């Protein structure tokens, strides 16, 4: 038991450490800041969805589905977040060899790894379920204080469900990955499928009331069969302690069962996963040559597409912009109708605003230095000028953003009838903005590097530079929108766009100059 | 080829890891850099390779100051760390091509050199596999091939024999001698004193960041063995402390 406590303690500290950057006091501040920010965002999003869902379900007269639906969402989103982390946490920890050499049972080791997964899910589910529980309390007009005790129990036990499922998924991915040559392709495809499912699901939220009203019995049956733990939890939250107890058992028992099953053959599984796939049939042919810049850019692009979490987080804006463009072209009338609701004359600025917001979600340069990690010596040793090194990293952002901007603007122009000159001005402003954001992101990363992260996901999702760059970019896009409301409406959209193009180009140039001087020194000091 | 003058390096303003180090690595010679753990060997080698920044002293490679003209100095240098971390997402051949591109090697030259060195280290057949599947020794060999294909004037190696099989170690020694026979120089750190004694033309011994002996191997070793000399110097250091 003591060993288990120690191992769980290590897992917990490792999880907290993923949020930290820097050393000493700075480390504690960044850790608290990152957790606080994440907590605020999760509470805000969950609060928004809980109240929206509460209103919709109350209107449809199916309020009994509020807690089950929110729990289902919590489990689904939590599962998506930890699906890929699970393989690394349970089957790929860097300290696995060390821990396994200790006199500790395999069950303890697997349970401690699964506990790390549980803690991550607990954080998310907890932050998600608190506003959901509050919404359930308010909308159902409850006065029973024991409701909150039941809520606390739910928060503690529900995370066992996504943890168990993520562990199974993580094992399948790790197993398939160890046997496939193009493991990144597999991971990318699964990630995109999960992401599209989430997007499709979230787009149905406003119809959820009608859907549940029309298919009430089917939904009830679903919650009492395939989704039994969640269905029972719903009943338990309504005051049925027996149902709640059954639900909690159904959450924790699969978790313990999977832990036991994996611990039974843990060493054999790890040995199987670690077996290397090295082909011995390579035949050297004549090689082609290219310059350092092309080589660096190619390397950055390969890195981007070979890491699913990199592609789907730092490149999310490009994926969404493309999806939005295609959606506009396919569902021609719906976007026009939606934009018309906003009012006459606001269509084009709204399109520009949406485009700017999505572009602010493209931030590979803000994590690209951190992602060099322990391989940073390769670049520091190479005879590379700062312009080549930083230029290639910025160019990755532009390679992702610029074609999407041009395609989206062309499709928007055709579908919504935006005048060609206006569309060109809008595109120019966005091209210029992404150039500046790419350079600014790289600067932020040089100021807040994280070269010692345990895995890429930590750098991409939780590092200080990723958070600052992502939120900072959104603020810049928001400030530009505010500027349009204040000035742009008087000058006209074209003039405003051209002015913004000049402004962002100027800022881009200034940031580039900083990179060439201070940035180069900061890179040297890494 | 390499001139280190009054070079000092301290981390975060604490005690100096290297203190007023001065020595040269002449053209056409192999220099062994010896010292106990934490003596400052890796710090010195990483500063020579331009990986670590430093404020005191100068390091010049082929006449180029590593701080003032880093690109020119690095163009003629190759560095091999003790535990080379390479890009896991690349295949072996992709990694070699990447390095060749950074050093602007012409297509025919790189093909010929990759073929030669990969064959010598028995790596040609696995170059199509991802680096993530390589063992430690294979990564070490790949990093060594990437250093050799540049035909560097100065080759800097940190503990190059760790992780290499006997055959690869033998091949590597031949290539080190070849570099020197063509006018280049080699500086490497090692704890294997027998290898240093047999292979090196010169020896530099560092203790607590300070150079305590430097010169031709025969002159330093004299009638004793390098191990005896090293142990005597270590004991002197212990008495001084």
């Amino acid at each position: 038991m003591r060993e288990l406590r120690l191992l769980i303690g290590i897992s917990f500290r490792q999880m907290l450490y993923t949020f930290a950057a820097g050393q000493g006091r700075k480390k504690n501040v960044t850790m608290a800041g990152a957790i606080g920010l994440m907590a605020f965002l999760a509470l805000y999003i969950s609060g928004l969805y809980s109240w929206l869902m509460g209103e919709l379900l109350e209107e449809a007269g199916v309020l009994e589905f509020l807690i089950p639906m929110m729990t289902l969402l919590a489990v689904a989103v939590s599962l998506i977040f930890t699906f890929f982390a699970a393989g690394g946490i349970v089957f790929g920890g860097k300290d696995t060899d060390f821990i396994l050499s200790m006199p500790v049972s395999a069950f303890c080791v697997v349970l401690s790894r699964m506990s790390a997964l549980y803690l991550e899910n607990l954080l998310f589910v907890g932050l998600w379920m608190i506003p959901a529980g509050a919404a359930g309390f308010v909308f159902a007009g409850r006065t029973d204080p024991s409701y909150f005790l039941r809520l606390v129990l739910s928060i503690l036990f529900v995370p066992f469900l996504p943890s168990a499922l993520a562990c199974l998924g993580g094992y399948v991915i790790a197993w398939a990955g160890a046997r496939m040559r193009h493991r990144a392709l597999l991971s990318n495809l699964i990630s995109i499928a999960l992401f599209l499912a989430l997007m499709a699901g979230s787009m149905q939220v406003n119809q959820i009331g009608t859907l549940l009203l029309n298919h009430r019995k089917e939904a009830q049956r679903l919650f009492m069969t395939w989704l039994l733990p969640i269905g029972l939890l719903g009943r338990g939250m309504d005051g049925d302690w027996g149902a709640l107890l059954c639900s909690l058992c159904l959450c924790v028992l699969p978790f313990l069962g999977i832990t036991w099953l994996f611990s039974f053959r843990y060493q054999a599984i790890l040995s199987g996963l670690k077996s290397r796939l090295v082909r011995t049939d390579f035949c050297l042919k004549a090689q082609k040559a290219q310059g350092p810049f092309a080589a660096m850019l190619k390397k950055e692009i390969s890195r981007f597409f070979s890491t699913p979490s990199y592609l789907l987080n730092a490149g999310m804006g490009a994926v969404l912009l493309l999806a939005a463009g295609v959606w506009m072209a396919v569902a021609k009338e719906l976007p026009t109708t939606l934009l018309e609701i906003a009012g006459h004359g606001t269509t084009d600025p709204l399109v520009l605003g949406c485009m700017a917001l999505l572009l602010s979600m493209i931030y590979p340069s803000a994590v690209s230095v951190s992602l060099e990690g322990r391989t940073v010596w390769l670049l520091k040793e190479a005879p590379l000028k700062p312009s080549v090194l930083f230029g290639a990293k910025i160019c990755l952002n532009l390679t992702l953003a610029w074609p999407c901007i041009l395609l989206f603007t062309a499709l928007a122009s055709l579908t919504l009838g935006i005048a060609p000159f206006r569309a060109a001005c809008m595109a120019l402003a966005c091209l210029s903005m992404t150039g500046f954001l790419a350079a600014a992101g790289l600067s932020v990363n040089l100021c807040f590097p994280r070269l010692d992260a345990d895995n890429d996901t930590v750098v991409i999702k939780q590092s200080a530079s990723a958070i600052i760059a992502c939120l900072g970019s959104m603020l810049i896009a928001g400030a530009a929108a505010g500027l349009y409301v204040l000035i742009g409406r008087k000058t006209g959209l074209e003039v405003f766009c051209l002015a913004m193009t000049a402004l962002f180009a100027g800022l881009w140039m200034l940031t580039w100059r900083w990179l060439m001087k201070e940035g180069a020194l900061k890179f040297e000091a890494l | 080829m390499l001139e280190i003058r009054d070079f000092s390096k301290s981390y975060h303003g604490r005690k100096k890891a290297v203190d007023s180090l001065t020595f040269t690595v002449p053209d056409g010679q192999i220099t062994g850099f010896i010292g106990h753990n934490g003596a400052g060997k890796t710090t010195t080698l990483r500063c020579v390779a331009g990986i670590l920044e430093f404020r005191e002293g100068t390091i010049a490679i082929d006449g180029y100051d590593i701080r003032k003209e880093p690109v020119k100095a690095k163009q003629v240098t190759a560095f091999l760390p003790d535990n080379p971390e390479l890009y896991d997402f690349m295949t072996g051949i992709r990694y070699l091509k990447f390095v060749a591109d950074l050093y602007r090697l012409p297509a025919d030259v790189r093909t010929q050199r990759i073929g030669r060195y990969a064959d010598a280290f028995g790596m040609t057949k696995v170059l199509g596999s991802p680096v993530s599947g390589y063992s430690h020794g294979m990564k070490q060999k790949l990093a060594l091939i990437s250093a050799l294909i540049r035909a560097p004037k100065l080759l800097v190696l940190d503990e190059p024999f760790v992780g290499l099989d006997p055959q690869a170690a033998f091949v590597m020694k031949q290539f080190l001698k070849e570099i020197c026979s063509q006018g280049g120089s080699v500086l490497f750190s090692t704890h294997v004193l027998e290898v240093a004694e047999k292979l090196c033309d010169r020896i530099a011994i560092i203790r607590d960041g300070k150079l305590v002996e430097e010169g031709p191997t025969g002159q330093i070793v004299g009638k004793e063995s390098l191990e005896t000399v090293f142990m005597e110097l270590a004991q002197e250091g212990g008495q001084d402390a």
Side-chain angles (χ1 to χ4, degrees):
Chain A
M1 200 61 194
R2 190 168 167 270
E3 291 89 348
L4 181 63
R5 227 174 34 239
L6 280 169
L7 289 175
I8 290 175
I10 290 170
S11 300
F12 185 65
R13 276 195 292 276
Q14 272 176 341
M15 193 193 79
L16 282 180
Y17 184 68
T18 60
F19 295 103
Q23 288 182 327
R25 202 175 160 196
K26 187 182 167 192
K27 187 173 156 182
N28 293 335
V29 171
T30 53
M31 193 160 71
I35 292 174
L37 188 68
M38 212 176 88
F40 169 75
L41 283 175
L43 283 172
Y44 174 75
I45 295 169
S46 165
L48 203 73
Y49 266 90
S50 301
W51 250 258
L52 178 74
M53 186 85 86
E55 279 173 6
L56 285 168
L57 297 186
E58 189 181 38
E59 205 177 295
V62 284
L63 199 61
E64 76 268 21
F65 286 111
L66 177 61
I67 294 293
M69 282 309 296
M70 288 309 291
T71 311
L72 183 62
L73 273 176
V75 171
V77 179
S78 188
L79 179 62
I80 286 170
F81 280 143
T82 50
F83 198 72
F84 287 98
I89 292 172
V90 184
F91 306 106
K94 282 180 183 169
D95 56 349
T96 306
D97 291 353
F98 170 69
I99 299 284
L100 280 177
S101 70
M102 298 277 150
V104 186
S105 72
F107 184 77
C108 273
V109 177
V110 182
L111 190 57
S112 71
R113 298 290 157 96
M114 292 283 285
S115 304
L117 210 57
Y118 165 79
L119 286 170
E120 213 164 318
N121 284 318
L122 176 68
L123 187 72
F124 185 82
V125 171
L127 291 169
W128 185 275
M129 289 296 286
I130 290 169
F137 190 79
V138 171
F139 280 100
R142 294 177 202 278
T143 50
D144 176 17
S146 66
Y147 174 84
F148 290 103
L149 175 65
R150 294 196 293 273
L151 181 65
V152 171
L153 286 172
S154 310
I155 289 171
L156 287 175
F157 280 79
V158 166
F160 284 116
L161 267 184
S163 306
L165 292 171
C167 179
L168 282 177
Y171 172 67
V172 172
I173 288 177
W175 181 85
R179 280 155 183 77
M180 282 183 73
R181 203 171 176 199
H182 300 286
R183 65 179 72 177
L185 182 68
L186 170 82
S187 300
N188 280 336
L189 288 175
I190 295 174
S191 304
I192 289 171
L194 283 172
F195 176 69
L196 288 178
L198 184 70
M199 289 294 289
S202 55
M203 285 177 89
Q204 301 294 323
V205 164
N206 54 352
Q207 294 171 25
I208 201 89
T210 327
L211 273 171
L212 285 173
L213 183 66
N214 293 340
H215 306 279
R216 194 174 197 154
K217 282 196 174 164
E218 287 92 329
Q220 278 170 343
R221 200 179 308 131
L222 190 67
F223 276 114
M224 293 317 287
T225 51
W226 288 101
L227 304 172
L228 187 61
I230 296 172
L232 287 174
L233 185 88
R235 286 190 182 181
M237 290 301 288
D238 282 337
D240 185 345
W241 281 94
L244 184 70
L245 202 67
C246 285
S247 165
L248 303 185
C249 286
L250 285 174
C251 290
V252 78
L253 287 178
F255 178 88
L256 289 173
I258 285 168
T259 306
W260 181 79
L261 272 176
F262 278 124
S263 67
F264 198 57
R265 288 183 51 77
Y266 193 51
Q267 278 168 315
I269 290 169
L270 289 184
S271 307
L273 294 177
K274 275 190 176 174
S275 60
R276 298 186 181 94
L277 192 78
V278 180
R279 296 168 66 105
T280 53
D281 54 358
F282 181 76
C283 185
L284 186 67
K285 290 173 190 158
Q287 300 295 310
K288 286 178 186 167
Q290 55 188 3
F293 183 82
M296 275 298 296
L297 180 59
K298 208 171 162 184
K299 177 226 139 196
E300 293 295 335
I301 292 173
S302 308
R303 179 78 165 100
F304 183 77
F305 285 102
S306 64
T307 315
S309 58
Y310 197 11
L311 170 74
L312 287 165
N313 286 281
M316 175 70 82
V319 175
L320 288 174
L321 198 60
L322 267 182
V326 173
W327 176 69
M328 268 197 306
V330 175
K332 285 173 188 165
E333 286 176 11
L334 187 61
T336 318
T337 317
L338 283 173
L339 287 163
E340 273 171 4
I341 296 169
H344 182 68
T346 53
T347 303
D348 301 353
L350 263 179
V351 170
L352 180 63
C354 289
M355 195 156 52
L357 186 71
L358 294 178
L359 288 170
S360 68
M361 293 179 202
I362 301 174
Y363 63 91
S365 66
V367 291
S368 62
V369 175
S370 296
L371 283 175
E372 295 294 342
R374 291 177 182 92
T375 57
V376 75
W377 71 274
L378 287 164
L379 299 183
K380 294 182 81 178
E381 182 228 6
L384 286 172
K385 290 176 185 169
S387 56
V388 174
L389 178 63
F390 297 150
K393 289 187 180 293
I394 288 172
C395 210
L396 171 63
N397 280 42
L398 306 185
T399 310
L400 293 172
W402 283 10
C404 294
I405 292 171
L406 296 176
L407 188 72
F408 180 87
T409 322
L411 289 171
S413 175
L414 287 171
T415 315
L416 306 171
I418 302 172
F421 178 66
R422 175 171 275 205
C425 292
M426 286 161 65
L428 266 178
C430 288
L431 294 174
S432 179
M433 185 184 87
T434 44
F436 164 61
L437 291 182
L442 186 58
S443 311
V444 170
N445 198 194
L446 285 165
C447 293
F448 299 94
R450 178 78 201 268
L451 296 169
D452 59 346
D454 282 340
N455 57 59
D456 294 342
T457 312
V458 169
V459 171
I460 296 159
K461 281 183 170 179
Q462 298 163 355
S463 66
S465 62
I467 294 170
I468 293 171
C470 197
L471 293 179
S473 302
M474 284 181 187
L475 278 177
I476 288 169
L483 215 60
Y484 173 76
V485 174
L486 288 173
I487 306 165
R489 283 203 289 201
K490 291 169 194 161
T491 61
L493 189 62
E494 287 86 349
V495 176
F496 174 76
C497 284
L498 291 175
M500 292 311 284
T501 306
L503 175 69
F504 283 126
L507 289 171
W508 185 4
M509 206 175 73
L510 286 174
T511 318
W512 178 254
R513 284 179 66 178
W514 183 90
L515 279 170
M516 290 302 104
K517 286 182 180 173
E518 298 299 317
L521 291 175
K522 284 195 178 290
F523 185 77
E524 201 182 312
L526 286 177
Chain B
M1 181 58 63
L2 170 67
E3 270 193 54
I4 301 176
R5 293 208 176 281
D6 300 321
F7 161 66
S8 297
K9 167 75 188 172
S10 56
Y11 292 98
H12 307 294
R14 290 178 200 144
K15 191 193 165 213
K16 283 182 176 173
V18 184
D19 192 2
S20 305
L21 195 71
T22 300
F23 75 96
T24 55
V25 176
D27 290 355
Q29 296 204 351
I30 300 178
T31 302
F33 198 36
I34 297 164
H36 56 83
N37 291 332
K41 301 186 298 292
T42 299
T43 300
T44 307
L45 297 187
R46 291 175 83 86
C47 286
V48 169
I51 293 171
L52 277 180
E53 60 158 5
F54 60 96
R55 305 245 164 96
E56 291 176 54
T58 56
I59 295 176
I61 302 164
D62 201 23
Y64 301 116
D65 189 313
I66 190 72
R67 280 201 297 176
K68 289 176 186 160
E69 295 175 289
V71 176
K72 284 181 180 168
K74 288 173 184 180
Q75 192 73 49
V76 296
T77 313
F79 173 65
L80 180 73
D82 54 345
N83 183 21
E85 295 276 353
L86 309 175
Y87 296 127
D88 278 350
F89 59 92
M90 287 185 181
T91 59
I93 187 68
R94 194 81 179 271
Y95 173 71
L96 293 177
K97 277 167 76 176
F98 172 69
V99 173
D101 285 333
L102 295 189
Y103 286 81
R104 298 178 188 276
L105 290 185
D108 53 338
V109 174
R110 71 175 64 185
T111 309
Q112 185 264 325
R113 287 184 189 165
I114 290 173
R116 183 185 175 216
Y117 294 118
D119 279 348
F121 285 105
M123 286 286 289
T124 307
K125 287 188 172 180
V126 297
L127 284 181
S129 299
V131 173
S132 55
Y134 284 12
S135 66
H136 175 77
M138 287 160 85
K139 283 185 185 173
Q140 185 100 343
K141 287 180 192 173
L142 187 68
L144 193 54
I145 295 168
S146 77
L148 291 169
I149 58 169
R150 303 172 218 171
K153 286 186 177 175
L154 173 67
L155 181 57
V156 182
L157 310 119
D158 193 1
E159 296 288 352
F161 297 101
V162 176
L164 282 186
D165 57 63
Q167 192 187 350
F170 175 78
V171 173
M172 186 178 76
K173 285 181 215 165
Q174 304 308 310
F175 285 131
L176 299 189
K177 286 175 186 167
E178 188 183 289
I179 287 174
C180 291
S181 68
Q182 290 165 354
S185 340
V186 175
L187 170 66
F188 74 91
S189 71
T190 184
H191 286 126
V192 191
L193 300 179
E194 291 83 0
V195 171
E197 194 173 344
K198 283 181 188 163
L199 188 65
C200 298
D201 303 302
R202 296 175 73 84
I203 296 283
I205 301 176
I206 186 172
R207 187 183 65 213
D208 295 330
K210 289 182 178 171
L211 192 72
V212 287
E213 279 289 352
E214 195 255 333
T217 310
Q219 192 181 312
I220 288 192
V221 174
K223 289 176 185 171
E224 296 172 297
S225 69
L226 184 58
E227 192 175 28
T228 313
V229 175
F230 184 77
M231 293 309 291
E232 281 171 7
L233 287 168
Q235 276 174 357
E236 276 175 33
Q239 284 162 6
D240 291 348

